[in-house]
Amino acid sequence: MAEKDLLYNYSLHLADNSMILGQRCGEWCGHGPVLEQDIALTNIALDLIGEARSLYQLAAELKGGNANEDTVAFLRDVMAYKNVLLVEQPNYDWAYTIVRQFFYDVFHFYLHSELINSTEPRLSNIAAKSLKEVTYHLKWSSEWMIRLGDGTDISREKMQDAVNGLWEYTGELFMPSAIEQQAFEAGFAPDLNILKPLWQEKVEDILAESTLFIPENNYQQKGGKTGVHSEHMGYILADMQYLQRAYPGANW
Amino acid sequence: MSNKEWPLWEVFIRAKQGLNHKHVGSLHAADVQMAIENARDVYTRRMEGVSIWVVESKHLHANEPSEQDELFDPANDKIYRHPTFYILPEELNHM
């Protein structure tokens, strides 16, 4: 794959994860359990969408022609989205939302900690800006893991349920797609094998502090990175893309 | 889960180094750490500050509103307490 195509596709890997998780977090807007957390989560949603925008701008620039950040975000179909299955999982309840966020934040944090050393300056700049935000996201979701895991009987049960339900989507984070592998070999993407033990250690630490357990069944789902998404993804895009599809080029 | 409300906290933000912390509002939080994080999320989203203080509202004590007259009215006619009777040199006119 030509270097330009490779960077384009790799940028979409990064951008789609942030975009879809941002969209999921945004669904809580106006529905948070308390006002303060409603705002906290929408702040996070906007950080993620902000990061996705920078990456989509880069992707659009690489694509050339009439592409812009909106066409890249709003006019691709499900199969063209490269986000992992984890980030498209529904909110269900606060516990699922927190656990999903925590699993992703740990990954996101270590990913950007490496990506700031990318040989591609446009990627390292985006990572440097985003890393500060992600550091806060991780602090926030770790706090909630501990509060609710090591909380009441009911909060602990809900958190353990969410850990059990989401665990099978964590392995995909570290299974490189062909694009990620080539991007690593080309020098501008981190080695996912290096991130995995870091992720594992942090997750085990926080789960232990939260009095939660890693489920024993270790079957792992995959597919998101190559466009084979769960049934939830179509609904997210329907929500997200409706306006641009119904009113092409709409602006505000 | 108990339905008890989280306690109320008062939030003070320092806008920049050298200025004092100013009261900006209040919020609910389960403990001091959550209060600081909530304050960060609710009150510093638009670069309002560089430092946060929180204090549980129950630790603030206020005067009795019924004592308004004896506490504050006597200051009303003591204009000599304002440093406005000094003649300043020209150069200091904009003080």
Side-chain angles (χ1 to χ4, degrees):
Chain A
M1 197 180 283
E3 171 111 359
K4 202 170 142 186
D5 284 344
L6 185 58
L7 183 55
Y8 168 79
N9 280 297
Y10 183 67
S11 303
L12 292 184
H13 267 284
L14 300 172
D16 291 347
N17 280 335
S18 291
M19 185 72 212
I20 299 301
L21 186 56
Q23 181 75 13
R24 276 295 189 222
C25 293
E27 289 171 16
W28 274 105
C29 186
H31 303 277
V34 293
L35 173 76
E36 291 83 352
Q37 293 308 320
D38 193 295
I39 296 176
L41 199 55
T42 37
N43 283 350
I44 291 173
L46 289 175
D47 287 347
L48 290 167
I49 291 168
E51 184 200 337
R53 280 192 62 189
S54 304
L55 289 159
Y56 285 142
Q57 284 162 9
L58 169 60
E61 187 189 314
L62 293 162
K63 192 157 198 236
N66 292 328
N68 61 44
E69 55 178 309
D70 285 343
T71 64
V72 181
F74 296 121
L75 301 181
R76 276 180 305 140
D77 258 329
V78 174
M79 298 281 284
Y81 264 78
K82 301 180 192 306
N83 57 282
V84 291
L85 299 174
L86 176 68
V87 297
E88 70 198 47
Q89 296 309 303
N91 291 340
Y92 293 122
D93 60 12
W94 189 248
Y96 261 84
T97 303
I98 294 296
V99 174
R100 182 187 63 204
Q101 192 67 33
F102 171 68
F103 284 160
Y104 191 75
D105 287 345
V106 180
F107 171 76
H108 205 184
F109 175 78
Y110 288 118
L111 177 77
H112 279 348
S113 303
E114 291 289 320
L115 200 61
I116 54 174
N117 302 318
S118 170
T119 54
E120 167 52 56
R122 287 169 291 187
L123 287 184
S124 61
N125 285 340
I126 292 171
K129 174 172 184 288
S130 180
L131 184 57
K132 285 185 202 167
E133 297 168 345
V134 177
T135 304
Y136 185 77
H137 302 170
L138 178 57
K139 179 180 156 72
W140 179 85
S141 59
S142 302
E143 278 292 316
W144 277 105
M145 289 294 292
I146 297 164
R147 271 180 199 288
L148 295 176
D150 189 14
T152 64
D153 288 347
I154 293 177
S155 74
R156 186 198 210 143
E157 189 187 319
K158 286 183 178 234
M159 291 298 278
Q160 187 64 56
D161 264 3
V163 169
N164 295 348
L166 290 168
W167 186 254
E168 64 183 2
Y169 300 106
T170 57
E172 189 190 14
L173 291 167
F174 307 102
M175 297 177 199
S177 69
I179 289 158
E180 285 174 310
Q181 186 59 32
Q182 288 175 50
F184 162 59
E185 284 160 13
F188 54 77
D191 181 0
L192 294 179
N193 287 319
I194 290 179
L195 304 185
K196 187 170 185 179
L198 297 170
W199 183 90
Q200 186 83 20
E201 194 188 333
K202 177 74 177 172
V203 166
E204 281 173 8
D205 273 3
I206 297 290
L207 285 184
E209 211 178 323
S210 314
T211 71
L212 298 170
F213 299 96
I214 291 174
E216 290 187 3
N217 175 9
N218 203 24
Y219 174 73
Q220 292 293 331
Q221 304 270 3
K222 61 173 180 187
K225 288 182 176 182
T226 50
V228 185
H229 292 281
S230 60
E231 73 274 21
H232 309 298
M233 188 65 185
Y235 293 98
I236 299 178
L237 292 189
D239 252 4
M240 201 177 97
Q241 297 185 335
Y242 166 78
L243 201 106
Q244 278 301 323
R245 301 270 191 191
Y247 306 96
N251 228 311
W252 64 80
Chain B
M1 190 184 140
S2 96
N3 286 323
K4 235 170 65 182
E5 281 262 356
W6 288 338
L8 192 67
W9 300 74
E10 301 300 323
V11 181
F12 302 81
I13 303 281
R14 182 205 288 283
K16 56 180 182 187
Q17 298 301 341
L19 294 184
N20 48 345
H21 286 74
K22 273 179 102 167
H23 185 239
V24 293
S26 53
L27 48 73
H28 288 96
D31 58 26
V32 64
Q33 187 166 6
M34 194 194 284
I36 290 174
E37 285 175 21
N38 284 352
R40 180 265 187 194
D41 283 319
V42 176
Y43 290 111
T44 68
R45 305 190 316 143
R46 301 180 184 90
M47 303 196 55
E48 290 94 335
V50 295
S51 167
I52 298 170
W53 285 352
V54 292
V55 61
E56 225 183 309
S57 308
K58 70 177 183 194
H59 295 308
L60 287 178
H61 304 276
N63 69 282
E64 288 292 336
S66 61
E67 296 171 343
Q68 208 73 357
D69 291 351
E70 58 264 44
L71 286 179
F72 305 117
D73 279 1
N76 203 15
D77 59 353
K78 313 289 194 297
I79 53 167
Y80 48 84
R81 289 178 182 165
H82 291 277
T84 50
F85 296 92
Y86 299 96
I87 294 164
L88 292 175
E90 273 290 306
E91 302 79 51
L92 288 180
N93 239 355
H94 297 295
M95 232 174 111

